[in-house]
Amino acid sequence: MKIILVFLFTAPLALSVRAEKDYSSSDSAVSPETKSRFAMLDDVRILANGLLQLGHGLKDFVHKTKGQMNDIFQKLYIFDRSFYELSLQTSEIKEEEEQLRQTTARLQMNNEEMKNLSQEMNLKIEDLIQNKIQLQEQVWGLEDKVTKLAVIQPSVQETEEISSLKAFVEEQDNHIKQLLKIVEDQHVQLDKQHNQIMELEDKLNHIELQELTENSFTEEQTEPEAIPFPVRNATAATYKSDADGLTCDLLPPFAFAGSSWTVIQSRVDGSLDFNQTWDAYTNGFGDLNEEFWLGLNKTYSITKQGDYILRIELQDWKENKRYIEYAFSLGGPETDYTLQLSRISGSIPNALPEQTELRFSTADRDVDTTNDFNCPESYLGGWWHSECEETNLNGKYVAPRSRGRLDRRKGLYWKPKKGRYYLLKSTKIMIHPTDLKSFD
C-alpha cells in the first residue's frame, strides 16, 4: 500500500518535471491536449498526497481506538471481578446468618427443655423437702421417746424401729444432696446457654442492621402524584427545602417570610430522647439548633390561621435524601390533635394512612380505645398512631452499630405498606401556608 502511494506521488512529479522541460523548449509547439494531460497529472498528485495524509490519520485513529478499547476491557474485567467477590461475600453472609438462626433455634429448644427439666427438679426438691420436714418431726418424736426410754429400758421392737428410721433419714438426706447438686449443675448449664443465645442474638442484630443500612432510597420507585382532599383556599405555592439541594429556614411560630418553612420536628443524631410524656409533646422539647419537637399546641396555633402543607424530609444512612408532601388538617386539644393527611407529591412511596383521622398518643396517654395494645409504650415515642403501623418518626434512634436486641417496631424507620424497612439517619417535618397573601 505504501509503495503504491509513493509511486502515485512520484510518478506525476517526474512527468511534470519532464513536461515542463519540453514545454520550455517548445512552448509554441505544445498542443491543448498536452496541457490538459499535465493538469490531470497535477490533480492525481494532489489526490495521492491527500490519500497519504488520510492513511496516516486513520493509522493514528486505529492506535488510539485500540488503546481506549484496552482500557475499557480492563475496567470491565475489574468490575466483573469486584462483582463476583461481592457476590461471594453476600453468599457467605447469608450462609452464616442461616447457620446462626439454626443454632439459635436449637439452643432455644434446649433452653426450653432445660427449663422444663429444672421445673420438674424443683418440684421433686419441694416434695423431698416436705418429706424431710415430716421425717424431722418424726425424729423429734423419737427423740422424745428416746429421752423417756433413757429411764425405762426399751424393748427390742422399739430399738429396731429407731434404727430403721435413722437409716431412712440418712438415706433421704443423701438423696436430697444429690438432687441439689444436679440442680446446681443444670443452672450452670442454663447460664452458659443463655450467654450463647445472647451472643447469637447480638450477631443476628448486627447482620440485620447491616441489611437495613444497605436498604437505600435509590431503590424505591416514586408513586404517582395524588389528588389531595379539599382544603380551604388551597392555592399553589412555591417553596424550597434541603431535599431539593437548597436551604430551609427555621422560623419561630407565626413568622413567615417569602416561601420559608416552619420546622416542627428535627432529628439528626439521636442526642435527644423522644420517648416523652403528653405534656412534653404538647408544649415542645429540645434545642431549636439541634434536635427538637416544636409542640402540638404551637403547631395548632399556627395551622388554625389558614391552610397549610405538611412536608417530611428523610435521609438514610447512605446520605440519600427523599421527601413527601401532604395536604393536611390538624385538630385542637379537644380532639387530641387529630391529624388527617392526603398525599400531594414526593420522591418516596407513602407510609402514613391517608383520609383517616389519626389521634396523637403518648405512653402516658393512649387515646386509642379500640384495643388493649398501647402503641406509644410498645413502639416508644409519641405519634399519630393507627393500628400501630411500623412508621414512627418519633421512635427510638437506631444507629447501624447499635448493640442489643433489635426491635423494628421501636426504631426510627420509614416503612411503606408494600415496601421494605428504611433505617433513617435524619428526619425533618415542616409546615408551609398554601397562600401567603391571607397572612399579610
Side-chain angles (χ1 to χ4, degrees):
M1 179 68 181
K2 290 183 178 179
I3 296 173
I4 295 173
L5 292 173
V6 171
F7 175 77
L8 290 173
F9 177 77
T10 56
L13 183 61
L15 292 174
S16 176
V17 171
R18 182 177 179 181
E20 287 176 356
K21 289 181 179 181
D22 294 340
Y23 181 77
S24 61
S25 61
S26 57
D27 187 19
S28 59
V30 175
S31 65
E33 295 180 356
T34 302
K35 291 182 180 181
S36 176
R37 187 178 65 179
F38 288 159
M40 292 175 62
L41 289 175
D42 290 339
D43 293 340
V44 171
R45 183 176 60 183
I46 294 171
L47 178 61
N49 188 25
L51 291 173
L52 182 61
Q53 292 179 358
L54 178 61
H56 286 300
L58 289 174
K59 182 179 180 181
D60 294 338
F61 176 75
V62 169
H63 283 299
K64 290 181 181 179
T65 304
K66 285 183 178 180
Q68 293 175 353
M69 291 180 67
N70 289 333
D71 292 339
I72 292 172
F73 285 134
Q74 186 175 4
K75 291 179 180 178
L76 286 173
Y77 173 75
I78 295 172
F79 174 78
D80 290 340
R81 185 173 183 82
S82 301
F83 182 78
Y84 175 72
E85 293 176 354
L86 182 61
S87 300
L88 291 178
Q89 293 177 359
T90 303
S91 300
E92 292 175 357
I93 290 174
K94 290 183 177 179
E95 291 176 358
E96 182 180 358
E97 181 182 0
E98 183 62 27
Q99 292 176 358
L100 288 173
R101 293 186 188 276
Q102 293 177 358
T103 305
T104 302
R106 289 196 299 270
L107 288 174
Q108 288 177 347
M109 292 176 62
N110 293 335
N111 191 21
E112 291 296 329
E113 293 177 357
M114 297 299 292
K115 286 181 179 179
N116 295 332
L117 181 60
S118 177
Q119 291 176 357
E120 293 178 0
M121 296 296 293
N122 289 331
L123 293 174
K124 290 182 179 179
I125 290 173
E126 290 178 359
D127 294 338
L128 290 173
I129 291 173
Q130 292 295 329
N131 293 332
K132 183 178 180 180
I133 293 172
Q134 294 176 0
L135 289 172
Q136 285 178 346
E137 292 176 352
Q138 293 178 3
V139 169
W140 290 337
L142 290 173
E143 288 178 351
D144 293 337
K145 291 182 180 180
V146 170
T147 303
K148 295 177 181 179
L149 290 173
V151 181
I152 303 172
Q153 186 68 27
S155 63
V156 177
Q157 183 179 358
E158 290 176 343
T159 303
E160 292 177 354
E161 183 180 356
I162 292 171
S163 299
S164 63
L165 285 173
K166 285 184 178 180
F168 180 73
V169 169
E170 291 177 357
E171 182 181 356
Q172 291 295 327
D173 284 338
N174 293 332
H175 187 53
I176 290 172
K177 290 179 181 179
Q178 292 176 0
L179 288 175
L180 290 174
K181 182 66 169 62
I182 293 173
V183 171
E184 184 179 355
D185 294 339
Q186 294 289 342
H187 280 300
V188 173
Q189 188 174 358
L190 284 173
D191 290 337
K192 290 182 180 179
Q193 290 187 351
H194 178 71
N195 293 332
Q196 291 178 354
I197 290 174
M198 293 299 293
E199 291 177 359
L200 289 174
E201 285 181 348
D202 288 340
K203 290 181 180 180
L204 288 173
N205 177 44
H206 177 71
I207 292 173
E208 192 169 1
L209 277 173
Q210 292 300 321
E211 291 178 353
L212 289 173
T213 307
E214 291 299 319
N215 289 345
S216 171
F217 283 145
T218 56
E219 302 171 2
E220 274 289 359
Q221 298 294 328
T222 304
E223 291 183 346
E225 299 299 316
I227 300 176
F229 64 84
V231 295
R232 302 181 307 275
N233 301 327
T235 59
T238 59
Y239 39 85
K240 303 177 181 179
S241 67
D242 286 344
D244 298 326
L246 302 174
T247 302
C248 173
D249 298 328
L250 172 62
L251 298 179
F254 309 109
F256 307 101
S259 59
S260 299
W261 293 77
T262 299
V263 181
I264 64 174
Q265 185 252 42
S266 177
R267 305 192 70 177
V268 292
D269 55 11
S271 59
L272 180 62
D273 184 9
F274 271 69
N275 191 22
Q276 301 285 339
T277 63
W278 175 269
D279 291 339
Y281 271 101
T282 300
N283 300 319
F285 54 87
D287 187 346
L288 291 177
N289 295 320
E290 297 177 0
E291 293 195 333
F292 70 92
W293 174 263
L294 185 62
L296 294 168
N297 194 27
K298 298 184 184 71
T299 305
Y300 171 67
S301 298
I302 296 173
T303 56
K304 72 179 182 180
Q305 301 179 72
D307 298 325
Y308 277 77
I309 295 172
L310 178 73
R311 180 183 179 98
I312 298 176
E313 295 186 352
L314 309 172
Q315 182 179 10
D316 61 22
W317 286 91
K318 288 188 175 183
E319 309 302 330
N320 297 310
K321 294 182 179 181
R322 292 291 184 271
Y323 78 96
I324 189 167
E325 293 180 351
Y326 300 93
F328 79 103
S329 64
L330 181 66
E334 69 280 358
T335 67
D336 296 316
Y337 300 100
T338 298
L339 178 69
Q340 189 171 0
L341 299 171
S342 179
R343 181 180 179 274
I344 299 177
S345 63
S347 55
I348 189 173
N350 181 36
L352 299 176
E354 295 185 76
Q355 313 294 349
T356 303
E357 292 187 353
L358 307 173
R359 293 177 178 269
F360 198 87
S361 300
T362 58
D364 62 332
R365 183 170 175 176
D366 184 13
V367 299
D368 184 8
T369 59
T370 58
N371 55 61
D372 297 330
F373 191 72
N374 190 328
C375 296
E377 182 178 354
S378 303
Y379 284 64
L380 299 180
W383 190 248
W384 291 279
H385 290 285
S386 173
E387 299 180 357
C388 298
E389 72 288 341
E390 291 88 345
T391 299
N392 178 7
L393 300 186
N394 289 334
K396 181 181 178 182
Y397 194 89
V398 180
R401 293 180 176 84
S402 298
R403 297 189 63 82
R405 184 174 180 83
L406 177 64
D407 191 345
R408 294 190 178 187
R409 297 179 306 175
K410 297 183 180 180
L412 182 60
Y413 300 99
W414 184 262
K415 173 62 172 65
K417 188 174 182 180
K418 297 182 179 180
R420 63 184 68 183
Y421 282 86
Y422 291 95
L423 186 63
L424 301 178
K425 181 179 181 181
S426 65
T427 66
K428 187 178 292 183
I429 305 177
M430 303 174 289
I431 58 175
H432 184 284
T434 58
D435 187 4
L436 287 173
K437 294 181 180 180
S438 59
F439 296 91
D440 293 341

